[in-house]
């Protein structure tokens, strides 16, 4: 699985970083980034939930 944050759409709301804190984090610009190296079998569902919860649909998930 791969996740990607479209920074042009991210508004830095913090939803993804709260739902899947192992995978999404804020960068210095206040926008989220996905750490694909931290995606595991255990947190895949959280990554999907984070993508679905993003208010601007900024997260793309590739299964
Ligand atoms: S949930 Fe979406 S808008 Fe909010 S910080 Fe994450 S990527 Fe950005």
């Amino acid at each position: 699985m791969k996740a990607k944050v479209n920074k042009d759409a991210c508004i830095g709301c913090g939803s993804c970083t709260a739902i899947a804190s192992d995978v999404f984090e804020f960068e210095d610009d206040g926008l989220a980034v996905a750490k694909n190296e931290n995606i595991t079998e255990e947190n895949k569902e959280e990554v999907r939930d984070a993508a679905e919860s993003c208010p601007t649909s900024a997260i793309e998930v590739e299964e």
Side-chain angles (χ1 to χ4, degrees), residues 5-19 24-33 50 53-59:
V5 174
N6 174 3
K7 289 224 179 196
D8 291 336
C10 177
I11 55 170
C13 73
S15 177
C16 61
T17 56
I19 293 170
F24 296 97
E25 66 178 32
F26 284 122
E27 293 201 302
D28 291 344
D29 58 8
L31 303 176
V33 67
S53 304
C54 176
T56 62
S57 302
I59 301 171

Side-chain angles (χ1 to χ4, degrees), residues 23-50:
V23 175
F24 296 97
E25 66 178 32
F26 284 122
E27 293 201 302
D28 291 344
D29 58 8
L31 303 176
V33 67
K35 309 292 256 186
N36 281 305
E37 64 272 22
N38 291 349
I39 296 177
T40 64
E41 282 304 316
E42 286 70 39
N43 64 25
K44 273 183 176 177
E45 196 56 39
E46 291 172 5
V47 173
R48 290 188 196 102
D49 286 348

